[in-house]
Coordinates of all heavy atoms in Angstrom, one line a residue:
M1 N 0.8 -1.2 0.0 CA 0.0 0.0 0.0 C 0.9 1.2 0.0 O 1.9 1.3 0.7 CB -0.9 0.0 1.2 CG -1.9 1.1 1.3 SD -3.0 0.7 2.7 CE -3.8 2.3 2.7
Y2 N 0.5 2.2 -0.8 CA 1.3 3.5 -0.9 C 1.3 4.2 0.4 O 0.3 4.4 1.1 CB 0.7 4.4 -2.0 CG 1.4 5.7 -2.1 CD1 2.7 5.8 -2.7 CD2 0.9 6.8 -1.6 CE1 3.3 7.0 -2.8 CE2 1.5 8.0 -1.7 CZ 2.7 8.1 -2.3 OH 3.4 9.3 -2.4
G3 N 2.5 4.6 0.9 CA 2.7 5.4 2.1 C 2.6 4.7 3.4 O 2.6 5.3 4.4
E4 N 2.6 3.4 3.3 CA 2.5 2.6 4.6 C 3.7 2.8 5.5 O 3.5 2.6 6.7 CB 2.2 1.2 4.3 CG 3.3 0.4 3.6 CD 2.9 -1.0 3.2 OE1 1.7 -1.3 3.1 OE2 3.8 -1.8 3.1
N5 N 4.8 3.1 5.0 CA 6.0 3.3 5.8 C 6.3 4.7 6.2 O 7.3 5.0 6.8 CB 7.3 2.7 5.1 CG 7.2 1.2 4.9 OD1 6.7 0.5 5.8 ND2 7.7 0.7 3.8
L6 N 5.4 5.6 5.9 CA 5.6 7.0 6.2 C 5.1 7.3 7.6 O 4.1 6.7 8.0 CB 4.9 7.9 5.2 CG 5.4 7.8 3.7 CD1 4.6 8.7 2.8 CD2 6.9 8.2 3.7
C7 N 5.7 8.2 8.3 CA 5.3 8.6 9.6 C 4.1 9.6 9.4 O 4.2 10.5 8.6 CB 6.4 9.3 10.4 SG 7.7 8.2 10.9
P8 N 3.1 9.6 10.3 CA 2.1 10.6 10.2 C 2.7 12.0 10.6 O 3.7 12.0 11.3 CB 1.1 10.2 11.3 CG 1.4 8.8 11.6 CD 2.8 8.5 11.2
N9 N 2.1 13.0 10.1 CA 2.6 14.4 10.3 C 2.7 14.8 11.8 O 3.4 15.7 12.2 CB 1.8 15.4 9.5 CG 2.1 15.3 8.1 OD1 3.1 14.8 7.7 ND2 1.1 15.7 7.3
N10 N 1.9 14.2 12.6 CA 1.8 14.6 14.0 C 2.9 13.9 14.9 O 3.0 14.2 16.1 CB 0.5 14.3 14.7 CG 0.2 12.8 14.6 OD1 0.9 12.0 14.1 ND2 -0.9 12.4 15.3
Q11 N 3.8 13.1 14.3 CA 4.9 12.5 15.1 C 6.2 13.2 14.9 O 6.5 13.7 13.7 CB 5.0 11.0 14.7 CG 3.9 10.1 15.2 CD 4.2 8.7 14.8 OE1 5.1 8.4 14.1 NE2 3.3 7.8 15.3
E12 N 7.0 13.4 15.9 CA 8.3 14.0 15.8 C 9.3 12.9 15.4 O 9.2 11.8 15.7 CB 8.7 14.6 17.2 CG 7.8 15.7 17.7 CD 7.9 16.9 16.9 OE1 8.9 17.1 16.2 OE2 7.1 17.8 17.0
P13 N 10.3 13.4 14.6 CA 11.4 12.4 14.2 C 12.1 11.9 15.5 O 12.1 12.5 16.5 CB 12.3 13.2 13.4 CG 11.7 14.5 13.2 CD 10.5 14.7 14.1
P14 N 12.6 10.7 15.4 CA 13.3 10.1 16.6 C 14.6 11.0 16.9 O 15.1 11.6 16.1 CB 13.8 8.7 16.1 CG 13.7 8.8 14.6 CD 12.7 9.8 14.3
G15 N 14.9 11.0 18.2 CA 16.1 11.7 18.6 C 15.8 13.1 19.2 O 16.7 13.7 19.7
L16 N 14.5 13.5 19.1 CA 14.2 14.8 19.7 C 13.8 14.7 21.2 O 13.2 13.6 21.6 CB 13.0 15.4 19.0 CG 13.2 15.9 17.6 CD1 11.8 16.4 17.0 CD2 14.2 17.0 17.6
P17 N 14.2 15.6 22.0 CA 13.8 15.6 23.4 C 12.3 15.7 23.5 O 11.6 16.3 22.7 CB 14.6 16.7 24.0 CG 15.0 17.6 22.9 CD 15.0 16.8 21.7
A18 N 11.8 15.3 24.6 CA 10.3 15.5 24.9 C 10.1 16.9 25.2 O 10.9 17.7 25.7 CB 10.0 14.6 26.2
L19 N 8.9 17.4 24.9 CA 8.5 18.8 25.2 C 8.6 19.1 26.6 O 8.3 18.2 27.5 CB 7.0 19.0 24.8 CG 6.7 19.0 23.3 CD1 5.3 19.2 23.0 CD2 7.5 20.0 22.5
G20 N 9.2 20.2 27.0 CA 9.4 20.6 28.3 C 10.8 20.2 28.9 O 11.1 20.6 30.0
T21 N 11.5 19.3 28.2 CA 12.8 18.9 28.7 C 13.7 20.1 28.8 O 13.8 20.9 27.9 CB 13.4 17.9 27.8 OG1 12.6 16.7 27.6 CG2 14.8 17.4 28.2
L22 N 14.4 20.2 29.9 CA 15.4 21.3 30.1 C 16.7 21.0 29.3 O 17.3 20.0 29.5 CB 15.7 21.5 31.6 CG 14.6 22.1 32.4 CD1 15.0 22.3 33.9 CD2 14.0 23.3 31.9
M23 N 17.0 22.0 28.5 CA 18.2 21.9 27.6 C 19.1 23.1 27.9 O 18.7 24.1 28.3 CB 17.7 21.9 26.2 CG 16.6 20.8 25.8 SD 17.2 19.1 26.1 CE 18.3 19.0 24.7
V24 N 20.4 22.9 27.5 CA 21.4 24.0 27.6 C 21.8 24.4 26.2 O 22.1 23.6 25.4 CB 22.6 23.5 28.4 CG1 23.7 24.6 28.4 CG2 22.2 23.1 29.8
D25 N 21.7 25.7 25.9 CA 22.1 26.3 24.6 C 23.5 26.8 24.8 O 23.8 27.8 25.5 CB 21.2 27.4 24.2 CG 21.6 28.1 22.9 OD1 22.6 27.7 22.3 OD2 20.8 28.9 22.4
T26 N 24.5 26.0 24.4 CA 25.9 26.3 24.6 C 26.4 27.5 23.8 O 27.4 28.1 24.0 CB 26.8 25.1 24.3 OG1 26.6 24.7 22.9 CG2 26.5 24.0 25.2
S27 N 25.6 27.9 22.8 CA 26.0 29.1 22.0 C 25.6 30.4 22.7 O 25.9 31.5 22.2 CB 25.3 29.0 20.6 OG 23.9 29.2 20.6
R28 N 24.8 30.3 23.7 CA 24.4 31.5 24.5 C 24.8 31.4 25.9 O 23.9 31.5 26.8 CB 22.8 31.6 24.4 CG 22.4 31.9 23.0 CD 20.9 32.1 23.0 NE 20.4 32.3 21.6 CZ 19.8 33.4 21.2 NH1 19.4 34.3 22.1 NH2 19.4 33.5 20.0
A29 N 26.1 31.3 26.2 CA 26.6 31.3 27.5 C 25.9 30.2 28.4 O 25.6 30.5 29.5 CB 26.6 32.7 28.1
D30 N 25.7 29.1 27.8 CA 25.0 28.0 28.6 C 23.7 28.3 29.2 O 23.4 28.0 30.3 CB 26.0 27.4 29.7 CG 27.2 26.7 29.1 OD1 27.1 26.3 27.9 OD2 28.2 26.6 29.8
R31 N 22.9 29.0 28.4 CA 21.5 29.4 28.8 C 20.6 28.2 28.8 O 20.6 27.4 27.9 CB 21.0 30.4 27.8 CG 19.7 31.0 28.2 CD 19.3 32.1 27.2 NE 18.0 32.7 27.6 CZ 17.4 33.5 26.9 NH1 17.8 33.9 25.7 NH2 16.2 34.0 27.3
V32 N 19.9 28.0 29.9 CA 19.0 26.9 30.1 C 17.6 27.2 29.7 O 17.1 28.3 30.0 CB 19.0 26.4 31.6 CG1 18.0 25.2 31.8 CG2 20.4 26.0 32.0
G33 N 17.0 26.4 28.9 CA 15.6 26.6 28.5 C 14.8 25.3 28.3 O 15.4 24.2 28.2
E34 N 13.5 25.4 28.2 CA 12.7 24.2 28.0 C 12.5 24.0 26.5 O 12.3 24.9 25.7 CB 11.3 24.5 28.6 CG 11.2 24.7 30.1 CD 9.8 25.0 30.5 OE1 8.9 25.2 29.7 OE2 9.7 25.2 31.8
F35 N 12.7 22.7 26.1 CA 12.5 22.4 24.7 C 11.0 22.6 24.3 O 10.1 22.0 25.0 CB 12.9 21.0 24.4 CG 12.7 20.5 23.0 CD1 13.6 21.0 22.0 CD2 11.7 19.7 22.7 CE1 13.4 20.6 20.7 CE2 11.5 19.3 21.4 CZ 12.3 19.7 20.4
R36 N 10.7 23.4 23.3 CA 9.3 23.7 22.9 C 9.0 23.1 21.5 O 7.8 23.0 21.1 CB 9.1 25.2 22.8 CG 9.4 25.9 24.1 CD 8.6 25.3 25.3 NE 7.2 25.4 25.1 CZ 6.3 24.6 25.7 NH1 6.7 23.7 26.5 NH2 5.0 24.7 25.4
G37 N 10.0 22.6 20.7 CA 9.7 22.0 19.4 C 10.7 22.4 18.4 O 11.7 23.0 18.7
V38 N 10.3 22.1 17.1 CA 11.2 22.3 16.0 C 10.7 23.4 15.2 O 9.5 23.5 14.9 CB 11.4 21.0 15.2 CG1 12.3 21.3 14.0 CG2 12.0 19.9 16.1
A39 N 11.6 24.4 14.7 CA 11.2 25.4 13.8 C 12.2 25.4 12.7 O 13.3 26.0 12.8 CB 11.2 26.8 14.6
G40 N 11.8 24.7 11.6 CA 12.8 24.6 10.5 C 14.0 23.8 10.9 O 13.9 22.7 11.6
P41 N 15.2 24.3 10.7 CA 16.4 23.6 11.1 C 16.8 23.8 12.6 O 17.8 23.3 13.1 CB 17.5 24.1 10.2 CG 17.0 25.5 9.9 CD 15.5 25.5 9.9
Y42 N 16.0 24.6 13.3 CA 16.3 25.0 14.7 C 15.4 24.4 15.7 O 14.3 24.0 15.4 CB 16.2 26.6 14.8 CG 17.1 27.3 13.9 CD1 16.6 27.9 12.7 CD2 18.5 27.4 14.1 CE1 17.4 28.6 11.8 CE2 19.3 28.1 13.2 CZ 18.8 28.6 12.1 OH 19.6 29.3 11.2
W43 N 15.9 24.4 16.9 CA 15.0 23.9 18.0 C 14.6 25.2 18.8 O 15.4 26.1 19.0 CB 15.8 23.0 19.0 CG 16.1 21.7 18.5 CD1 15.7 21.2 17.2 CD2 16.7 20.6 19.1 NE1 16.1 19.9 17.1 CE2 16.7 19.5 18.3 CE3 17.3 20.5 20.4 CZ2 17.3 18.3 18.6 CZ3 17.8 19.2 20.8 CH2 17.8 18.2 19.9
S44 N 13.3 25.2 19.2 CA 12.8 26.3 20.0 C 12.9 26.0 21.4 O 12.6 25.0 21.9 CB 11.3 26.6 19.6 OG 11.2 27.0 18.3
L45 N 13.5 27.0 22.2 CA 13.7 26.9 23.6 C 13.0 28.1 24.2 O 13.0 29.2 23.6 CB 15.1 26.8 24.0 CG 16.0 25.7 23.4 CD1 17.4 25.9 23.7 CD2 15.5 24.3 23.8
R46 N 12.6 28.0 25.5 CA 12.1 29.2 26.2 C 12.6 29.1 27.6 O 12.9 28.0 28.2 CB 10.6 29.3 26.2 CG 9.9 28.3 27.1 CD 8.5 28.6 27.3 NE 8.0 27.7 28.3 CZ 6.8 27.7 28.8 NH1 5.9 28.6 28.4 NH2 6.5 26.9 29.7
P47 N 12.7 30.3 28.3 CA 13.2 30.3 29.6 C 12.4 29.4 30.6 O 11.2 29.3 30.3 CB 13.2 31.8 30.0 CG 13.1 32.5 28.7 CD 12.5 31.6 27.8
V48 N 13.0 28.9 31.6 CA 12.2 28.2 32.6 C 11.1 29.0 33.2 O 11.4 30.1 33.6 CB 13.2 27.6 33.7 CG1 12.4 26.9 34.8 CG2 14.3 26.8 33.1
G49 N 9.9 28.5 33.2 CA 8.8 29.3 33.8 C 8.2 30.3 32.8 O 7.2 31.0 33.2
G50 N 8.6 30.4 31.6 CA 8.0 31.3 30.6 C 8.9 32.4 30.1 O 10.0 32.5 30.6
G51 N 8.4 33.1 29.2 CA 9.2 34.2 28.6 C 9.3 34.0 27.1 O 8.7 33.1 26.5
A52 N 10.1 34.8 26.5 CA 10.2 34.8 25.0 C 11.1 33.6 24.6 O 12.2 33.4 25.1 CB 10.9 36.1 24.5
E53 N 10.6 32.9 23.6 CA 11.3 31.7 23.1 C 12.5 32.2 22.2 O 12.5 33.4 21.7 CB 10.4 30.9 22.2 CG 9.4 30.1 23.0 CD 8.5 29.2 22.1 OE1 8.8 29.1 20.9 OE2 7.6 28.6 22.7
W54 N 13.5 31.4 22.1 CA 14.6 31.6 21.2 C 14.9 30.4 20.4 O 14.4 29.3 20.8 CB 15.8 32.2 21.9 CG 16.6 31.2 22.6 CD1 17.7 30.5 22.2 CD2 16.5 30.8 24.0 NE1 18.2 29.7 23.2 CE2 17.5 29.8 24.3 CE3 15.5 31.1 25.0 CZ2 17.6 29.2 25.5 CZ3 15.7 30.5 26.2 CH2 16.7 29.5 26.5
E55 N 15.6 30.5 19.3 CA 15.9 29.4 18.4 C 17.4 29.1 18.6 O 18.2 30.0 18.7 CB 15.5 29.6 17.0 CG 14.0 29.7 16.8 CD 13.6 30.0 15.4 OE1 14.5 30.4 14.6 OE2 12.4 29.8 15.1
A56 N 17.7 27.8 18.5 CA 19.1 27.4 18.7 C 19.4 26.2 17.7 O 18.5 25.5 17.4 CB 19.4 26.9 20.1
E57 N 20.6 26.2 17.2 CA 21.0 25.1 16.3 C 21.1 23.8 17.2 O 21.7 23.9 18.3 CB 22.3 25.4 15.6 CG 22.2 26.5 14.6 CD 23.6 26.7 13.9 OE1 24.2 25.7 13.5 OE2 24.0 27.9 13.8
P58 N 20.5 22.7 16.7 CA 20.6 21.5 17.5 C 22.0 21.1 17.9 O 22.2 20.5 19.0 CB 19.9 20.5 16.6 CG 19.0 21.2 15.7 CD 19.7 22.6 15.5
R59 N 23.0 21.4 17.1 CA 24.4 21.0 17.4 C 24.9 21.8 18.6 O 25.9 21.4 19.2 CB 25.3 21.2 16.2 CG 25.5 22.6 15.8 CD 26.2 22.6 14.4 NE 26.3 24.0 14.0 CZ 27.4 24.7 14.0 NH1 28.5 24.2 14.4 NH2 27.4 25.9 13.5
H60 N 24.2 22.9 19.0 CA 24.7 23.7 20.2 C 23.8 23.5 21.4 O 23.9 24.2 22.4 CB 24.6 25.2 19.8 CG 25.6 25.6 18.8 ND1 27.0 25.5 19.0 CD2 25.5 26.1 17.5 CE1 27.6 26.0 17.9 NE2 26.7 26.3 17.0
V61 N 22.9 22.4 21.3 CA 22.0 22.2 22.4 C 22.3 20.8 23.0 O 22.5 19.8 22.3 CB 20.6 22.2 21.9 CG1 19.6 21.9 23.1 CG2 20.3 23.6 21.4
R62 N 22.3 20.7 24.3 CA 22.5 19.4 25.0 C 21.5 19.4 26.2 O 21.0 20.4 26.6 CB 23.9 19.2 25.5 CG 24.4 20.3 26.5 CD 25.7 19.9 27.1 NE 26.2 21.0 28.0 CZ 25.8 21.2 29.2 NH1 24.9 20.4 29.8 NH2 26.3 22.2 29.9
A63 N 21.3 18.2 26.7 CA 20.4 18.0 27.9 C 21.1 18.7 29.1 O 22.3 18.6 29.3 CB 20.2 16.6 28.2
A64 N 20.3 19.4 29.9 CA 20.8 20.0 31.1 C 21.1 19.0 32.2 O 20.4 18.0 32.4 CB 19.8 21.0 31.7
L65 N 22.2 19.2 32.8 CA 22.6 18.4 34.0 C 21.7 18.7 35.1 O 21.0 19.7 35.2 CB 24.1 18.6 34.4 CG 25.1 18.4 33.3 CD1 26.5 18.9 33.8 CD2 25.2 16.9 33.0
L66 N 21.6 17.8 36.1 CA 20.7 18.0 37.3 C 21.1 19.3 38.0 O 20.1 20.1 38.4 CB 20.8 16.8 38.2 CG 19.9 15.7 38.0 CD1 20.2 14.5 38.9 CD2 18.4 16.1 38.1
I67 N 22.3 19.6 38.1 CA 22.7 20.9 38.8 C 22.3 22.1 38.0 O 21.9 23.1 38.6 CB 24.2 20.9 39.2 CG1 24.6 22.0 40.1 CG2 25.0 20.9 37.9 CD1 24.0 21.9 41.5
E68 N 22.3 22.0 36.7 CA 21.9 23.1 35.8 C 20.4 23.3 35.9 O 19.9 24.4 35.9 CB 22.3 22.9 34.4 CG 23.8 22.9 34.2 CD 24.3 22.4 32.9 OE1 23.7 21.4 32.4 OE2 25.3 23.0 32.4
Q69 N 19.7 22.2 36.0 CA 18.2 22.2 36.1 C 17.8 22.9 37.5 O 17.0 23.8 37.5 CB 17.6 20.8 36.1 CG 17.7 20.2 34.8 CD 17.2 18.7 34.8 OE1 16.3 18.4 35.5 NE2 17.8 17.9 34.0
L70 N 18.5 22.5 38.5 CA 18.3 23.1 39.8 C 18.6 24.6 39.9 O 17.8 25.4 40.4 CB 19.1 22.3 40.9 CG 19.0 22.8 42.3 CD1 17.5 22.6 42.8 CD2 19.9 22.1 43.2
R71 N 19.7 25.0 39.3 CA 20.0 26.4 39.2 C 19.0 27.2 38.5 O 18.6 28.3 38.9 CB 21.4 26.6 38.6 CG 22.6 26.2 39.4 CD 23.9 26.5 38.7 NE 25.0 26.0 39.5 CZ 26.0 25.3 39.0 NH1 26.1 25.1 37.7 NH2 27.0 24.9 39.7
A72 N 18.5 26.7 37.4 CA 17.6 27.4 36.6 C 16.2 27.6 37.3 O 15.6 28.6 37.3 CB 17.3 26.7 35.2
R73 N 15.8 26.5 37.9 CA 14.5 26.5 38.7 C 14.6 27.4 39.9 O 13.7 28.2 40.2 CB 14.1 25.1 39.0 CG 13.6 24.3 37.8 CD 13.1 23.0 38.2 NE 12.6 22.3 37.0 CZ 13.0 21.2 36.5 NH1 13.9 20.5 37.2 NH2 12.4 20.6 35.5
T74 N 15.8 27.4 40.6 CA 16.0 28.2 41.8 C 16.0 29.7 41.4 O 15.4 30.5 42.0 CB 17.3 27.8 42.5 OG1 17.2 26.5 42.9 CG2 17.5 28.7 43.7
A75 N 16.7 30.0 40.3 CA 16.8 31.4 39.8 C 15.4 31.9 39.5 O 15.0 33.1 39.8 CB 17.7 31.5 38.6
R76 N 14.5 31.1 38.9 CA 13.2 31.5 38.6 C 12.4 31.7 39.8 O 11.6 32.7 39.9 CB 12.5 30.4 37.7 CG 11.0 30.4 37.6 CD 10.6 31.5 36.6 NE 9.1 31.4 36.5 CZ 8.4 32.4 36.2 NH1 8.9 33.6 36.0 NH2 7.1 32.2 36.1
L77 N 12.5 30.8 40.8 CA 11.8 31.0 42.1 C 12.2 32.3 42.8 O 11.4 33.0 43.4 CB 11.9 29.8 42.9 CG 11.2 28.5 42.4 CD1 11.5 27.3 43.3 CD2 9.7 28.8 42.4
N78 N 13.5 32.5 42.8 CA 14.0 33.7 43.5 C 13.5 35.0 42.8 O 13.1 36.0 43.5 CB 15.6 33.7 43.5 CG 16.1 32.7 44.5 OD1 15.5 32.3 45.4 ND2 17.4 32.3 44.3
A79 N 13.5 35.0 41.5 CA 13.0 36.2 40.7 C 11.5 36.4 41.0 O 11.0 37.5 41.2 CB 13.2 36.0 39.2
R80 N 10.8 35.3 41.2 CA 9.4 35.4 41.5 C 9.2 35.9 42.9 O 8.3 36.8 43.1 CB 8.7 34.0 41.4 CG 7.3 34.0 41.6 CD 6.7 32.6 41.3 NE 5.4 32.5 42.0 CZ 4.8 31.4 42.3 NH1 5.4 30.2 42.0 NH2 3.7 31.3 42.9
S81 N 10.0 35.5 43.8 CA 9.8 36.0 45.2 C 10.2 37.5 45.3 O 9.7 38.2 46.2 CB 10.7 35.2 46.2 OG 12.1 35.5 46.0
R82 N 11.0 38.0 44.4 CA 11.3 39.4 44.4 C 10.3 40.2 43.6 O 10.4 41.4 43.6 CB 12.7 39.6 43.8 CG 13.9 39.0 44.6 CD 15.2 39.4 44.0 NE 15.4 39.0 42.7 CZ 16.1 37.8 42.4 NH1 16.6 37.1 43.3 NH2 16.2 37.5 41.1
G83 N 9.3 39.6 43.0 CA 8.3 40.2 42.3 C 8.7 40.6 40.9 O 8.1 41.4 40.2
E84 N 9.8 40.1 40.4 CA 10.3 40.4 39.0 C 9.6 39.7 37.9 O 9.5 40.1 36.8 CB 11.8 40.0 38.9 CG 12.7 40.9 39.9 CD 14.1 40.4 40.0 OE1 14.5 39.4 39.2 OE2 14.9 41.0 40.7
V85 N 9.0 38.5 38.3 CA 8.2 37.7 37.3 C 7.0 37.2 38.0 O 6.9 37.2 39.3 CB 9.0 36.6 36.7 CG1 10.1 37.0 35.8 CG2 9.5 35.6 37.8
L86 N 6.0 36.9 37.3 CA 4.7 36.3 37.9 C 4.8 34.8 38.1 O 5.5 34.1 37.5 CB 3.5 36.7 37.0 CG 3.3 38.1 36.9 CD1 2.1 38.4 35.9 CD2 2.9 38.8 38.2

């Protein structure tokens, strides 16, 4: 049958992180962001807890280490406690 080996359009190619996975963009001073999806040849990331998304080349992105995840989440909570973010 024609097209039986094709992936449906709603599936991501293998090797992509799950949505919301914390990643490090090494091209931006090791900035940590949540994986939001694919935009052409780039991966979309956004700051932990919200904010403006940015695009990064996949070759400059890696999974965040536990300590990097903790730092990013702590920084977000501290900013929230100071009233800098909602």
